[in-house]
Amino acid sequence: MPALTFSVDAAMAALAVAWDTSLPVNADVTLWTPSHSNALYKIDGWGAPYFAVNSSGNVTVRPHGDGTMDHQEIDLLKVVKKVSDSKSTGGLDLHLPVIIRFPDVLKNRLECLQTAFNYAVKYNGYGSFYQGVYPVKCNQDRFVVEDIVKFGSEFRFGLEAGSKPELLLAMSCLCKGSSESLLICNGFKDVEYVELALIARKLSLNTVIVLEQEEELDSVIDVSMKLGVRPVVGVRAKLRTKHSGHFGATSGEKGKFGLTTTQIVRVVRKLEQCGMLDCFQLLHFHIGSQIPTTELLADGVGEAAQIYCELVRLGASMKVIDIGGGLGIDYDGSKSASSDVSVSYTLDEYAMAVVQAVKFVCDRNSVKHPVICSESGRALVSHHSVLIFEAVSSSKYTVPAMSSFDVQGFVEQLPEDVHSDYNSLSQSAVRGDYEACLAYADQLKQRCVEKFKDGSLDIEQLAATDGLCDFVEKKIGASDPVTTYHVNLSVFTSVPDFWGIEQLFPIVPIHRLDEFPTRRGILSDLTCDSDGKIDKFIGGESSLPLHELEGENGMKYYLGMFLGGAYEEALGGVHNLFGGPSVVRVSQSDGPFGFAVTSARPGPSCSDVLRSMQHEPEIMFETLKHRIEEYVHGDGNMDGAMIAGGIAQSFNNMPYLTVGSSCCLTAASDNNGYYYCSDEDFTAGADTVTGDDEPWSYVCA
């Protein structure tokens, strides 16, 4: 056995076991700077121009993109402290996780999109203009949609709806927008949907009904005649051009939506027969989300532009070509066409490719240049939202230390027929054959497991076997160095696309980036589900560089998930009855902290999520209260009133862990948990969310 100990120690010295190529193994920890972390987490790649790292090692938000001045940067850690600190210390006393929205970023994204197309139009001598719409399915949050309408009013920026509730939302919001803004009605439609769309047109909203199925035309014709409203109609075309990436399933001839050329021709003929061909004014198509290259984009746009020109030739009064979504963002900073989470072009290159493709085809056919519309939701809203959550603990299996005496005692207790496996393991170690050593260690472990199952090995002996095999793996360098960080989050609620389609998002500690990250970790959420973990990260990594937690008296460890402003909130469920996070809106200001919280909403309480599954918390509480009265009679340390008060408190708290603080009932205000002030209401330099100090209080169930 001493030979085994000696040989394994020699192996440890001889093998050059690198921790991971993404961490600089030979880095001088004392010289680690925020710029090293910036490079390690690729923040400049996926985050520019909206995210950076300051000299304190904290992630900052640059709310105006490239136009942000140094004093306008917003320190994310300061925002989190403002949100989570108690009211007695000037905070909002909201519990994490929390989504922080930055409307200034949203405004900048919209302006950059419009500017890119304006430049492409001017550069190419294009004879019309660009007029975008926001597909509200990406994020239907009231403030997000209202902000887009407000910020986009000067650009005639409109909305796209794909269902009846989305249409009602869009109709209401666009009443405050430009009269020229488009209201694009996509999705499958019944008579009620068509009626709503035509009523919107009656209300002087610039509404276009896009046919997803040929049969929808009959409803449009019938309802328009009954209501006496002349419709504006478009069709969604199924292109031959196909996007081969993950998001390309909606494209091509076999795509879920749209009409074939045969069906489009029939639509033209039917409208002509009804004397309504002048109503046909828009062509829509969608290649797929995250279009990887401008070559594929130009190919699809060119095909659609040719269909557009043919519709003009057939007599339709065409005015708009709607290129749909597909404008991608670079989630991993690689700027690669071969990645499902990246794209190989800039915003300016995207706009230039679209304008040039439409112009070339229209000029070839001597057709007037149409208005170019796009539905670029992901590119608009992804950057403006950051999900912040806390790592509450970490766990890593510690391999037990074993001396030669420990091993000898272990061997003596093994059944005789297992000794041969141990001898093979020992001889392999002496020879320095470490592959064989690992194989025999596994064989020994499996043999002992079988012995344990048939009752001939007790649990202490099995534990000793596991300890020896793990000890050998560690000494050889084959053990897993990854730590599991337990985070106060539900993957299913807040990052559903990771679970559903393995969509990757940048995840970064928002502070301590001036320190060397000594661990590699995966993230395990609160749910009782083996899928409730994040173990794939951008750059093809299976773990994330992280810092050691500082214990109960140290600073909390906050992580941020970035670029998640599209889809995640709408798709999130209530697995294990974990509801959504708290939400705050933060605008740049000229105050001492550089920001103002203009609205804040605590996340759903336990009562809220129970109601979502048809439970009645008030009745549940009364049932438990009667049970308390029956079984608790004031004995011990708690009386019935105290227990009832604690249960009432639990009904009204968020389902997530209340880390490092006592529970309280002051979690939401009388206006359904909202605090809100308009951007005009807060004064420059304001850094507090309220002008008074009235508590937010729930009424106990």
Side-chain angles (χ1 to χ4, degrees):
M1 182 55 223
L4 173 63
T5 305
F6 172 79
S7 63
V8 171
D9 287 341
M12 186 64 179
L15 293 175
V17 182
W19 183 23
D20 189 284
T21 55
S22 69
L23 280 178
V25 178
N26 298 319
D28 187 339
V29 174
T30 62
L31 298 179
W32 191 262
T33 67
S35 62
H36 290 110
S37 290
N38 187 63
L40 175 64
Y41 294 105
K42 303 178 177 67
I43 295 174
D44 278 346
W46 55 260
Y50 300 107
F51 303 103
V53 182
N54 64 18
S55 58
S56 300
N58 300 336
V59 174
T60 62
V61 178
R62 297 173 54 81
H64 311 298
D66 287 327
T68 306
M69 293 183 283
D70 290 345
H71 74 277
Q72 294 176 320
E73 290 193 11
I74 299 172
D75 189 319
L76 263 181
L77 183 61
K78 291 180 179 178
V79 176
V80 172
K81 287 183 65 63
K82 178 67 181 178
V83 167
S84 60
D85 282 356
S86 67
K87 290 190 174 182
S88 63
T89 60
L92 300 179
D93 208 14
L94 293 182
H95 291 300
L96 270 59
V98 61
I99 289 174
I100 305 175
R101 300 197 199 284
F102 296 93
D104 294 320
V105 172
L106 189 60
K107 183 174 186 287
N108 185 263
R109 290 298 292 173
L110 196 155
E111 290 171 347
C112 288
L113 177 64
Q114 187 71 39
T115 299
F117 271 99
N118 287 350
Y119 176 78
V121 164
K122 183 176 180 180
Y123 180 85
N124 290 284
Y126 191 77
S128 190
F129 54 89
Y130 168 76
Q131 184 175 348
V133 297
Y134 168 64
V136 297
K137 68 178 180 181
C138 291
N139 192 322
Q140 299 99 335
D141 180 83
R142 168 193 161 191
F143 295 113
V144 172
V145 180
E146 288 181 351
D147 279 345
I148 288 174
V149 171
K150 180 175 71 173
F151 298 150
S153 181
E154 64 178 297
F155 309 127
R156 301 171 295 230
F157 213 86
L159 299 174
E160 179 268 348
S163 66
K164 285 180 280 191
E166 287 184 353
L167 177 54
L168 290 167
L169 181 162
M171 290 167 63
S172 174
C173 288
L174 283 176
C175 288
K176 299 178 182 179
S178 167
S179 60
E180 298 178 72
S181 296
L182 288 166
L183 172 50
I184 303 293
C185 299
N186 288 332
F188 295 116
K189 303 169 190 68
D190 60 8
V191 171
E192 184 182 10
Y193 188 130
V194 173
E195 287 176 345
L196 285 172
L198 291 172
I199 289 171
R201 189 143 194 92
K202 183 76 171 178
L203 299 177
S204 294
L205 297 175
N206 192 10
T207 310
V208 182
I209 301 174
V210 179
L211 304 179
E212 304 277 5
Q213 302 178 95
E214 188 179 356
E215 305 82 56
E216 292 171 357
L217 179 59
D218 293 331
S219 296
V220 172
I221 293 171
D222 291 344
V223 175
S224 66
M225 290 181 175
K226 289 177 182 177
L227 296 180
V229 178
R230 194 77 171 171
V232 173
V233 175
V235 298
R236 176 167 175 165
K238 286 186 178 180
L239 302 186
R240 268 68 167 183
T241 304
K242 186 168 173 57
H243 167 5
S244 60
H246 169 81
F247 295 102
T250 56
S251 62
E253 292 181 274
K254 304 299 182 182
K256 176 180 177 182
F257 301 104
L259 279 63
T260 65
T261 53
T262 302
Q263 292 173 312
I264 292 173
V265 170
R266 286 204 294 260
V267 166
V268 170
R269 300 301 181 215
K270 188 157 194 173
L271 286 170
E272 189 174 27
Q273 291 169 6
C274 296
M276 299 176 65
L277 190 53
D278 61 304
C279 298
F280 194 170
Q281 298 181 15
L282 179 144
L283 176 70
H284 171 47
F285 67 95
H286 180 64
I287 300 173
S289 295
Q290 286 287 110
I291 297 173
T293 67
T294 53
E295 289 79 14
L296 176 62
L297 172 67
D299 190 28
V301 173
E303 180 186 350
Q306 185 59 40
I307 296 175
Y308 180 94
C309 292
E310 288 297 306
L311 291 171
V312 172
R313 183 182 64 81
L314 292 173
S317 299
M318 303 301 293
K319 294 180 181 178
V320 181
I321 184 166
D322 179 355
I323 65 174
L327 172 54
I329 62 171
D330 192 356
Y331 288 100
D332 64 8
S334 66
K335 295 178 173 56
S336 168
S338 61
S339 170
D340 278 340
V341 292
S342 184
V343 293
S344 63
Y345 51 82
T346 65
L347 188 55
D348 290 336
E349 290 168 342
Y350 174 90
M352 190 67 71
V354 170
V355 172
Q356 288 177 345
V358 176
K359 182 178 185 297
F360 175 79
V361 175
C362 288
D363 288 350
R364 184 179 63 194
N365 289 274
S366 300
V367 169
K368 182 181 178 181
H369 298 165
V371 173
I372 295 175
C373 176
S374 75
E375 302 176 6
S376 303
R378 184 189 301 269
L380 274 181
V381 300
S382 291
H383 297 77
H384 95 287
S385 176
V386 181
L387 172 69
I388 304 293
F389 53 97
E390 183 181 355
V392 295
S393 64
S394 64
S395 61
K396 181 180 179 183
Y397 174 65
T398 303
V399 177
M402 300 190 77
S403 65
S404 300
F405 178 80
D406 294 329
V407 175
Q408 187 63 39
F410 159 73
V411 173
E412 289 174 354
Q413 296 181 44
L414 287 176
E416 286 293 327
D417 56 349
V418 181
H419 281 189
S420 60
D421 293 316
Y422 170 74
N423 291 334
S424 298
L425 167 61
S426 180
Q427 292 166 12
S428 299
V430 171
R431 294 194 308 270
D433 186 352
Y434 300 118
E435 287 190 14
C437 197
L438 291 172
Y440 284 123
D442 184 66
Q443 186 171 309
L444 172 65
K445 182 183 288 189
Q446 294 305 317
R447 182 73 65 91
C448 289
V449 168
E450 293 303 319
K451 291 290 183 184
F452 176 76
K453 288 179 178 179
D454 65 22
S456 57
L457 204 70
D458 61 35
I459 193 168
E460 292 90 347
Q461 291 172 308
L462 182 63
T465 303
D466 289 337
L468 173 66
C469 294
D470 292 340
F471 175 75
V472 170
E473 288 183 0
K474 178 183 178 182
K475 287 298 183 180
I476 291 175
S479 59
D480 185 3
V482 174
T483 300
T484 298
Y485 282 69
H486 305 284
V487 294
N488 198 9
L489 185 75
S490 165
V491 169
F492 305 93
T493 299
S494 295
V495 204
D497 270 341
F498 176 81
W499 170 67
I501 61 174
E502 297 190 342
Q503 168 74 43
L504 302 183
F505 297 92
I507 298 176
V508 180
I510 67 166
H511 59 136
R512 296 179 62 183
L513 296 179
D514 55 346
E515 302 174 30
F516 180 76
T518 58
R519 301 282 186 91
R520 292 203 68 92
I522 63 171
L523 308 179
S524 176
D525 77 355
L526 297 180
T527 65
C528 300
D529 196 303
S530 58
D531 285 338
K533 63 182 178 181
I534 300 177
D535 55 3
K536 295 183 179 66
F537 303 89
I538 63 171
E541 300 290 342
S542 58
S543 60
L544 186 68
L546 295 169
H547 304 86
E548 188 169 355
L549 301 185
E550 294 184 339
E552 292 183 3
N553 298 320
M555 178 181 284
K556 296 179 179 181
Y557 193 50
Y558 298 112
L559 300 170
M561 187 198 84
F562 297 81
L563 309 186
Y567 297 108
E568 300 314 290
E569 295 169 61
L571 292 175
V574 288
H575 187 33
N576 267 166
L577 296 185
F578 286 106
S582 302
V583 180
V584 298
R585 277 164 46 92
V586 174
S587 294
Q588 184 266 322
S589 78
D590 294 327
F593 297 109
F595 67 88
V597 180
T598 59
S599 70
R601 173 170 55 84
S605 66
C606 291
S607 289
D608 294 330
V609 292
L610 285 165
R611 285 191 189 94
S612 73
M613 302 303 290
Q614 311 306 313
H615 297 281
E616 299 184 39
E618 294 80 7
I619 295 176
M620 296 166 69
F621 175 71
E622 287 301 320
T623 300
L624 293 170
K625 186 178 177 182
H626 291 317
R627 189 78 167 184
I628 292 166
E629 293 169 351
E630 182 178 357
Y631 285 93
V632 179
H633 305 290
D635 51 341
N637 295 324
M638 290 191 297
D639 60 20
M642 184 180 298
I643 294 174
I647 291 176
Q649 179 173 309
S650 293
F651 270 111
N652 289 284
N653 286 340
M654 283 179 68
Y656 295 92
L657 304 181
T658 51
V659 182
S661 63
S662 59
C663 300
C664 66
L665 294 176
T666 54
S669 65
D670 293 336
N671 53 344
N672 296 321
Y674 277 95
Y675 166 79
Y676 175 69
C677 73
S678 69
D679 292 338
E680 292 77 12
D681 289 338
F682 77 86
T683 59
D687 51 48
T688 57
V689 72
T690 58
D692 51 45
D693 197 30
E694 291 186 13
W696 296 354
S697 59
Y698 276 125
V699 177
C700 291

